[in-house]
Amino acid sequence: AQSVTQLDSQVPVFEEAPVELRCNYSSSVSVYLFWYVQYPNQGLQLLLKYLSGSTLVKGINGFEAEFNKSQTSFHLRKPSVHISDTAEYFCVGRNAGNMLTFGGGTRLMVKP
Amino acid sequence: NAGVTQTPKFRVLKTGQSMTLLCAQDMNHEYMYWYRQDPGMGLRLIHYSVGEGTTAKGEVPDGYNVSRLKKQNFLLGLESAAPSQTSVYFCASSLAGYDEQYFGPGTRLTVT
C-alpha cells in the first residue's frame, strides 16, 4: 500500500519569500500524486497532479511540484508567497484501488 | 452548479445519540466518499460508493453506516455517537474512480 509523509507540520514564511513544502511517498506500484489545498473553514481543492510525463507539474495560483522518482519525493514550491496562500496543504497519493491516501498536512503561515 | 454540499455545517451530540449527515452533489458523479479529518492525520476514508445503491468500507468504517439510495445523495449515519467520533467530516465526489475528487465544505461534529 502507498503511504505519504509530509515532513513539516507547519511552515512559517514571510510574504514574497519562496517556499517549499516537502512530501515523500512510498509505493511499489505506479505513482499518482496530488497536492490539495484547504483554506480556513473550507473544503479541499486540487492544486496540481502528477499522473505521468513531465516531472515538473504546474498548478494553480503559481504553485508547482517536482516528481523525483529516485528520492521518492513530490515537493511543492512557490517562488513568492502571498498572505492569501495561508492554508493547509495536503500531499495525496492514489493507490491501485483508486482510493486516496493523505499525508498529515502542512500548515503554511504567511506573515506580513 | 452548487457542486458538493453538506448538511449540517455544525453539530453537537451527546454520547449515545444518533445523527445523519447529508451529502449532495449536482455534477452527476458516480463515485462519492466520506472522510474524517483529525489533526495531524490528514483525511481518512470512512466509506465510499461507486454508484447508486452500492457502498463499500474504507479505512476507518467502524461506528458508521452509509446509504446511497439516490445517485446525487450519500448519507453518513452514526447510530451511537462516541467522543472518538469528534471530527470534521468531508464528503467528496468524482466522475470515475481515477478522476479528481471534489470536496464539500465539511461538517464539524462534537460529541460530548
Side-chain angles (χ1 to χ4, degrees), chain A residues 8 12-13 24 29-30 41 46-47 51 55 59-60 63 65 71 74 83 92-94 101:
Chain A
D8 307 293
V13 63
N24 286 99
V29 298
S30 298
N41 300 313
L46 183 67
L47 263 183
L51 302 181
T55 57
I60 61 172
F63 284 92
Q71 297 187 5
F74 190 55
I83 294 286
V92 184
R94 195 175 79 203
T101 300

Side-chain angles (χ1 to χ4, degrees), chain B residues 6 10 16 28 41 45 56 58 68 75 78 81 83 88 97-98 105 109 111:
Chain B
Q6 294 182 229
F10 303 93
N28 203 34
M41 303 184 75
L45 183 64
R68 183 109 181 260
L75 305 178
L78 287 73
V88 182
Y98 49 81
L109 175 66
V111 183

Side-chain angles (χ1 to χ4, degrees), chain A residues 36 38 41-44 46 88 90 94 98-100 102-105, chain B residues 33 35 37 40-43 45 48 90 97-98 100-101 103-105:
Chain A
Y36 278 81
Q38 183 182 27
N41 300 313
Q42 294 186 28
L44 282 73
L46 183 67
E88 187 143 22
F90 292 96
R94 195 175 79 203
N98 281 326
M99 294 299 111
L100 298 184
F102 286 76
Chain B
Y33 314 82
Y35 295 91
Q37 182 182 24
M41 303 184 75
L43 275 68
L45 183 64
Y48 64 100
F90 287 98
Y98 49 81
E100 174 186 352
Q101 291 186 19
F103 286 81

